[in-house]
Amino acid sequence: MGPSRNWKKTLGGLSVFWLMAQAQTQSTPTASSSSSPPPQYTLPVSANEAPPVIPNIRDPLAVDAQTACPGYVASNVKQTASGLTASLSLAGHACNVYGTDIDSLNLTVEYQTTDRLHVEIVPTHIGAGNATQYLIPPSVVAKPGVEESNAESDLEFSWTNEPSFGFEVIRKSTKDVLFSTKGKKLVFENQFIEFASPLPENYNLYGLGESVHAFRLSNNYTKTFYAADAGATTDINIYGTHPFYLETRYFTQSPSGGLSLVTTNEAEPNKNYTSFSHGVYSRNAHGQDIVLQPDGITWRAIGGSIDLYFFSGPTQPEVTTSYLKAVGLPALQQYWTFGFHQCRWGYKSWSDLEDVVDNHIKFGIPLETVWTDIDWMLRYRDFENEPVGFDYEAGNSFLQRLHDGGRHYVPIFDSAIYIPNPQIESDAYPTFDRGNETGSFLKNPDGSLYIGSVWPGYTVFPDWLSEGAEQWWIDEMVLYYQKTAYDGAWVDMSEISSFCVGSCGSGNLGLNPVHPPFALPGETKNPVLKYPEWFNVTNTTEAAAASSALASFSSAYPAPTSTGTASYVRTTPTPGVRDVNYPPYAINNVKGPLAVAAISPNATHADGTLEYDMHNIWGHGIIKATYAALSKVFPGHRPFIIARSTFSGSGALAGHWGGDNWSNWPSMAFSIPQALQMSILGIPMFGSDTCGFADNTDMELCNRWMQLSAFFPFYRNHNILGAISQEAYTWASVIDASKSAMTIRYQLLPYLYTLFYHAHTAGHTVMRALAWEFPNDPSLASADRQFLLGPSILVIPVLEPGATSVNGVLPGLIEGHEKWYDWYNQTAVPVPSQVNTTIDAPLGHIPVFVRGGSVLPLQQPALTTRDARQSPWDVLAALDKDGNATGDLYLDDGVSVQPNATLTAEFTVQQRKLVAVMNQGGWVDGNSLRNITILGVDSVRRAVKFNGRPVPRRNVHLDEAKHTLVVSGFDISAWAGDHWTLEW
Ligand SMILES: *[C@@H]1O[C@H](CO)[C@@H](O)[C@H](O)[C@H]1NC(C)=O
Ligand SMILES: *[C@@H]1O[C@H](CO)[C@@H](O)[C@H](O)[C@H]1NC(C)=O
């Protein structure tokens, strides 16, 4: 969770004015009243302020690098085994527009695989003089290399020096230009890199996360990458950085046989189009603006290099597979992690958690995992339990009972580490001491500790480039596990967030422990942390002071105007010197200056690297360290990590939640495009705070949301401190709605798990956009109010209040081509082509459809996944219009990184015969086969046969009206042997 937050309710005796005054003088408070909280200093708002900048994209004085700069010329071009190399030199006088021009560059082009082309441009002399200081080492972020020499590629690289150096990437088979910098200048400076490519009119671009934005990106939108502890607000830069996009182009076959591009608004209904998709990954971790305009895309980074990878596809699944193979295939999660998770900020004790568990059991609601937010910590310090509510011994017995019941516990771990007041002996914090002794923390440029401020007060921050940090973190997590037997890690504040500008704790440790500042409730637009934890808005005097204070604080981020230009910091390049706090090019960072609400760019890593160059990958660093730690705690088991700040490739190690959203309908609706974005970015283990985090939810919203999230891979209800309760059992209608959706989810667990297996081994997506499954239908290019779970389950949720029905599309371009079956009544529904269908959806009902052509292995719902895994199997075959269907199943122990026993089954239906073929890899399931249900059956033979033998009539139920056939009475364990067959 981030700073858009509520605060504790204890009434403080000190006025806000007192706090302000104290803040100004930075002195230790001396006054306190009897009922007041401990006399602690609260960091003033001004500590998190810095002179403002105006984002370049909105700056009327901004210089256009394209007109100012000379570009480059290529020379010395040499063919290599996998492509070519060349030298680029500045084509004229340096423009030094937002940095100092680098006069000599190396170009490398590699055909790395048949479907991946690499184009890299780096300074000839790295780190020398004016060169950009930082290329991401492959050890920090995977760097794809040449895998096949002489790879036969459908992509073709070409270049020109007219009028200056530019390159083009063409798809040979369609002669389509996918990317072209020809005619645009290449700008390569020590603090600014720009290149641009035109894109087709009304283009279909996806990705460039993390953002809360429509699934199909707008063509009037700047995507900024600068990891920020900002609530999940639309269009701003938030927690993660994924410089990858997928582009889909639709074509129509012209009479001459050629392909011509069609825009989605030109596309005619009921017509079959051909689509081609490709992907572009820019392996650059610096602060960036990616400017999307109607005529193209402009990439602007404040450092690093040009390290581009083009993926030829030509389908979305192929692009995604290639991209994920390049950056890291998604982690296979443990089976239990697909159960339902309950969390809130404000579970203050083990007995609060026990109540949550008991209530779920009492109301028959499945519950797999209870989570704690920062409440578990002693004064918000990682690895130390708050002794009253979270006593270690009481915890041991609670966790024993929890684990015995097949359930799990996941606590939050914050990224910042408390640095104690050295003058107070009782303030000692061994975790800090051990990290400090091993040189594990970030430094100031002068070598002293960099000290920011987060929940515990003044804090230091692990330096993942130091030699000691990872081992120190592993040791701390191992030690802590010995005290509290957690089951996974929730990594927070990893952007990395700090509540003050610069090393604000340097010289001020005497003020520690410091109260964490909190925001006002409802202060969600531009939250500024300012009130002590115990501040109470119901105290009218304080509240009045607070709102006037709030008014004055809003001037901290003056809205840019086209005339007022005097008050912003603008810097000009200085040769040989980088201004890391105020780079000459100001990205459109939601927090304004780079040092606000985050570690300052001049924080220094052990190898001398500045945070400026690392900021967007700090979160990836803690994911790696946590993965290593959990691998130590649970040897051989898949680490379960849900992390906030991610980078390309993080999905190989961790899952992610949507961050601090709001308890409102738009937040729920945006969770779908958020999840689809994470799908193609390789983090399938995704879900949003169900029922909403900030502000109060309500019964109707929570009812709809509990049902929607049941079809997301990561399914967690989470709530902010001080908001009304929102566990499923809070309202009778939400109990029923949750149970009804969870019944489907738990039946589908084997399917979901199999989808993750395919994600992990082959880079397939789990949650899917309609556009990906129906690539011939341009009318689905933007569809993000419904989705598919894998290829077979279509979910059309209600996303608005007061509705009793929902308009949705049952995709299928040509009338009668696709078949969809209602999950609940198992009958085929009419599929009017490309027309919104009104679907009944009273409160408590989420429309779910099974795609004709699917075979789904199902188990029975239960209160835990452990119990569900021990239940009998059903097989549901939903036939397509030709009576065919396919599907599969993957099973193993559900925990091992390298399972030594597996089982797979492949299902095929053809000509009224369902065949299951098992591949026995040593995993024994043993549960029986209960029912086989066939949907879309027109007729049956005289005798239904199982393994060639007639099934007794009493075990065969044909419903001719519904076209369903249910066969039961099998006396076998479902997946023993090498195959079984059912004929009808
Ligand atoms: C650039 O190319 C030159 C000449 O081929 C080579 O000496 C130099 O090491 C290269 N620089 C980098 C950063 O690869
Ligand atoms: C750095 O840039 C300045 C200004 O363009 C130039 O005079 C100087 O030679 C450059 N230094 C190096 C080492 O390239």
Side-chain angles (χ1 to χ4, degrees):
M1 50 174 196
S4 64
R5 48 193 54 256
N6 223 316
W7 63 85
K8 287 205 187 125
K9 293 161 217 98
T10 332
L11 175 65
L14 310 177
S15 80
V16 74
F17 292 122
W18 179 86
L19 282 156
M20 297 303 152
Q22 294 302 311
Q24 300 307 315
T25 58
Q26 298 253 321
S27 66
T28 313
T30 49
S32 84
S33 70
S34 57
S35 64
S36 70
Q40 287 175 17
Y41 171 71
T42 300
L43 211 66
V45 146
S46 56
N48 201 18
E49 286 171 357
V53 291
I54 180 166
N56 186 277
I57 56 163
R58 285 189 280 152
D59 186 352
L61 302 185
V63 175
D64 179 4
Q66 287 299 321
T67 47
C69 296
Y72 287 80
V73 285
S75 61
N76 196 22
V77 179
K78 291 188 185 129
Q79 298 299 316
T80 64
S82 54
L84 60 85
T85 60
S87 307
L88 303 180
S89 40
L90 214 53
H93 288 297
C95 58
N96 298 336
V97 61
Y98 298 115
T100 307
D101 287 26
I102 296 169
D103 48 23
S104 174
L105 306 171
N106 289 6
L107 165 71
T108 308
V109 177
E110 294 169 327
Y111 292 90
Q112 295 190 329
T113 65
T114 52
D115 62 356
R116 188 173 78 223
L117 170 68
H118 180 215
V119 177
E120 182 165 35
I121 301 174
V122 300
T124 303
H125 309 288
I126 300 289
N130 300 317
T132 32
Q133 307 292 300
Y134 190 68
L135 304 182
I136 317 168
S139 58
V140 175
V141 171
K143 185 169 169 66
V146 175
E147 286 171 33
E148 299 162 45
S149 50
N150 302 313
E152 220 15 82
S153 176
D154 196 21
L155 298 176
E156 189 172 78
F157 175 91
S158 69
W159 64 276
T160 179
N161 269 341
E162 293 307 322
S164 67
F165 171 77
F167 70 89
E168 203 161 79
V169 175
I170 295 174
R171 186 190 294 284
K172 282 194 276 187
S173 57
T174 57
K175 304 190 177 58
D176 193 19
V177 178
L178 303 185
F179 198 93
S180 175
T181 71
K182 290 181 180 174
K184 295 268 184 183
K185 309 267 187 43
L186 168 66
V187 185
F188 205 125
E189 303 181 327
N190 67 342
Q191 288 197 275
F192 184 69
I193 294 174
E194 175 173 296
F195 56 96
S197 170
L199 291 172
E201 188 192 339
N202 202 19
Y203 49 81
N204 306 300
L205 213 70
Y206 310 90
L208 297 178
E210 181 179 14
S211 60
V212 182
H213 185 92
F215 164 60
R216 175 171 171 262
L217 302 177
S218 156
N219 64 8
N220 178 18
Y221 168 52
T222 297
K223 177 59 210 163
T224 298
F225 289 134
Y226 201 71
D229 177 5
T233 304
T234 50
D235 298 353
I236 61 168
N237 53 304
I238 52 172
Y239 316 108
T241 300
H242 295 262
F244 169 84
Y245 73 74
L246 170 90
E247 192 195 337
T248 299
R249 298 182 185 181
Y250 296 92
F251 294 86
T252 181
Q253 203 98 25
S254 67
S256 61
L259 291 170
S260 38
L261 195 72
V262 267
T263 67
T264 47
N265 41 6
E266 286 164 5
E268 295 162 35
N270 297 320
K271 203 173 147 185
N272 204 19
Y273 291 87
T274 307
S275 71
F276 289 85
S277 292
H278 64 275
V280 179
Y281 170 44
S282 167
R283 189 174 165 277
N284 183 313
H286 278 79
Q288 288 167 69
D289 278 343
I290 292 146
V291 186
L292 296 173
Q293 287 165 318
D295 60 348
I297 182 169
T298 303
W299 297 75
R300 292 180 184 151
I302 58 172
S305 64
I306 297 176
D307 192 3
L308 289 170
Y309 300 81
F310 297 90
F311 303 89
S312 64
T315 63
Q316 171 275 322
E318 286 163 305
V319 173
T320 301
T321 293
S322 312
Y323 171 61
L324 297 185
K325 281 186 173 162
V327 298
L329 290 163
L332 179 54
Q333 299 293 335
Q334 297 181 63
Y335 202 98
W336 65 264
T337 66
F338 299 115
F340 172 67
H341 305 268
Q342 180 61 47
C343 184
R344 88 159 288 166
W345 185 14
Y347 290 150
K348 299 217 159 296
S349 62
W350 297 121
S351 66
D352 279 2
L353 295 179
E354 190 133 39
D355 286 347
V356 170
V357 175
D358 291 347
N359 280 325
H360 280 86
I361 294 172
K362 177 170 142 197
F363 293 107
I365 306 165
L367 173 71
E368 190 75 16
T369 310
V370 281
W371 296 54
T372 45
D373 205 312
I374 54 176
D375 311 277
W376 70 264
M377 299 177 198
L378 171 60
R379 282 174 269 147
Y380 307 129
R381 297 165 193 201
D382 276 346
F383 311 118
E384 292 198 351
N385 283 16
E386 184 279 302
V388 180
F390 293 93
D391 170 72
Y392 290 110
E393 230 173 280
N396 282 339
S397 64
F398 166 69
L399 292 174
Q400 184 74 48
R401 288 194 295 282
L402 187 78
H403 289 144
D404 287 350
R407 295 189 174 82
H408 303 85
Y409 169 62
V410 177
I412 200 167
F413 294 96
D414 272 336
S415 298
I417 297 298
Y418 180 67
I419 176 168
N421 181 342
Q423 288 146 25
I424 305 177
E425 217 174 300
S426 61
D427 201 34
Y429 181 39
T431 292
F432 165 79
D433 295 336
R434 289 187 288 262
N436 198 28
E437 279 154 21
T438 49
S440 299
F441 302 128
L442 282 167
K443 304 287 193 314
N444 285 307
D446 69 1
S448 62
L449 282 175
Y450 182 97
I451 305 171
S453 161
V454 193
W455 303 121
Y458 289 126
T459 59
V460 293
F461 305 89
D463 169 9
W464 305 118
L465 294 189
S466 72
E467 275 181 26
E470 181 165 307
Q471 190 56 49
W472 158 78
W473 185 253
I474 293 171
D475 292 346
E476 294 302 317
M477 291 205 73
V478 168
L479 266 179
Y480 182 61
Y481 181 76
Q482 289 161 8
K483 297 192 272 183
T484 298
Y486 59 85
D487 297 288
W490 175 20
V491 175
D492 199 16
M493 309 299 283
S494 51
E495 289 67 41
I496 178 172
S497 179
S498 176
F499 299 161
C500 65
V501 170
S503 189
C504 65
S506 293
N508 288 328
L509 291 183
L511 298 174
N512 244 357
V514 169
H515 265 303
F518 283 69
L520 283 174
E523 196 190 333
T524 49
K525 277 234 170 73
N526 198 357
V528 182
L529 298 167
K530 60 176 89 59
Y531 298 101
E533 239 191 319
W534 42 265
F535 175 77
N536 192 334
V537 79
T538 59
N539 177 311
T540 47
T541 320
E542 286 178 357
S547 45
S548 70
L550 180 61
S552 69
F553 289 132
S554 60
S555 63
Y557 303 103
T561 61
S562 53
T563 48
T565 50
S567 56
Y568 302 106
V569 175
R570 289 187 178 80
T571 58
T572 45
T574 311
V577 180
R578 296 193 305 168
D579 191 332
V580 294
N581 284 321
Y582 284 95
Y585 180 87
I587 58 171
N588 190 33
N589 178 23
V590 63
K591 301 285 184 182
L594 302 183
V596 171
I599 298 187
S600 288
N602 73 349
T604 308
H605 292 262
D607 65 352
T609 306
L610 299 185
E611 187 59 14
Y612 179 81
D613 299 304
M614 293 292 296
H615 175 76
N616 287 332
I617 33 185
W618 198 97
H620 189 59
I622 194 170
I623 287 172
K624 283 189 180 178
T626 306
Y627 190 93
L630 294 185
S631 300
K632 194 72 182 276
V633 173
F634 306 101
H637 288 191
R638 302 164 202 158
F640 176 48
I641 303 168
I642 295 294
R644 200 165 73 177
S645 185
T646 59
F647 191 76
S648 300
S650 291
L653 308 172
H656 174 59
W657 90 107
D660 294 350
N661 64 3
W662 281 269
S663 300
N664 62 28
W665 294 83
S667 263
M668 178 171 76
F670 272 113
S671 70
I672 300 173
Q674 281 181 283
L676 296 176
Q677 183 173 73
M678 285 300 150
S679 280
I680 47 167
L681 299 176
I683 312 187
M685 192 61 173
F686 177 86
S688 281
D689 284 350
T690 300
C691 300
F693 177 67
D695 295 343
N696 287 331
T697 194
D698 61 53
M699 177 278 286
E700 185 188 5
L701 178 65
C702 197
N703 184 309
R704 294 296 192 189
W705 210 332
M706 284 297 290
Q707 292 210 314
L708 171 62
S709 291
F711 298 90
F712 280 48
F714 177 53
Y715 184 18
R716 188 184 71 162
N717 176 320
H718 179 43
N719 194 0
I720 197 172
L721 183 70
I724 62 165
S725 295
Q726 63 181 39
E727 294 82 7
Y729 51 75
T730 306
W731 303 269
S733 92
V734 181
I735 296 176
D736 294 343
S738 305
K739 285 165 75 170
S740 136
M742 286 189 197
T743 295
I744 307 174
R745 179 188 181 87
Y746 279 62
Q747 284 176 286
L748 286 172
L749 284 174
Y751 170 70
L752 182 58
Y753 191 67
T754 303
L755 289 172
F756 262 80
Y757 170 71
H758 292 310
H760 177 63
T761 52
H764 295 177
T765 49
V766 177
M767 264 179 78
R768 298 186 184 177
L770 275 60
W772 305 337
E773 286 292 309
F774 300 91
N776 301 342
D777 185 350
S779 75
L780 300 175
S782 320
D784 63 4
R785 294 177 68 84
Q786 51 185 92
F787 61 92
L788 290 121
L789 183 60
S792 304
I793 298 290
L794 174 68
V795 181
I796 309 185
V798 169
L799 301 171
E800 279 160 16
T804 54
S805 65
V806 57
N807 284 335
V809 177
L810 293 154
L813 199 55
I814 297 152
E815 195 100 41
H817 196 86
E818 282 291 330
K819 276 187 109 169
W820 293 99
Y821 299 87
D822 184 299
W823 173 273
Y824 303 90
N825 69 19
Q826 303 199 320
T827 55
V829 292
V831 182
S833 181
Q834 293 183 325
V835 177
N836 268 347
T837 307
T838 302
I839 300 157
D840 248 11
L843 193 61
H845 178 78
I846 182 166
V848 177
F849 301 91
V850 184
R851 186 175 182 177
S854 317
V855 182
L856 302 170
L858 308 172
Q859 272 179 301
Q860 311 313 313
L863 293 186
T864 62
T865 63
R866 184 185 71 184
D867 291 352
R869 284 206 81 178
Q870 285 157 9
S871 67
W873 291 86
D874 292 336
V875 174
L876 177 72
L879 306 185
D880 68 12
K881 67 174 184 10
D882 301 318
N884 299 331
T886 55
D888 70 340
L889 171 69
Y890 170 80
L891 292 175
D892 60 17
D893 64 7
V895 294
S896 296
V897 175
Q898 277 162 332
N900 56 16
T902 62
L903 181 143
T904 60
E906 306 267 347
F907 308 101
T908 342
V909 180
Q910 266 180 325
Q911 296 174 338
R912 294 195 280 168
K913 182 173 184 179
L914 166 61
V915 183
V917 177
M918 276 69 82
N919 189 345
Q920 300 292 347
W923 176 254
V924 180
D925 175 84
N927 297 300
S928 61
L929 180 62
R930 203 183 63 165
N931 292 333
I932 299 176
T933 303
I934 317 287
L935 309 184
V937 172
D938 287 325
S939 60
V940 294
R941 301 166 207 267
R942 208 168 323 139
V944 171
K945 290 182 189 161
F946 187 71
N947 285 341
R949 291 208 204 95
V951 179
R953 292 231 152 197
R954 64 174 188 283
N955 293 333
V956 176
H957 303 277
L958 174 70
D959 184 328
E960 285 181 9
K962 288 169 73 175
H963 300 279
T964 57
L965 171 69
V966 181
V967 185
S968 55
F970 310 103
D971 193 19
I972 61 164
S973 71
W975 318 120
D978 59 2
H979 79 286
W980 51 250
T981 60
L982 179 79
E983 295 162 83
W984 61 90

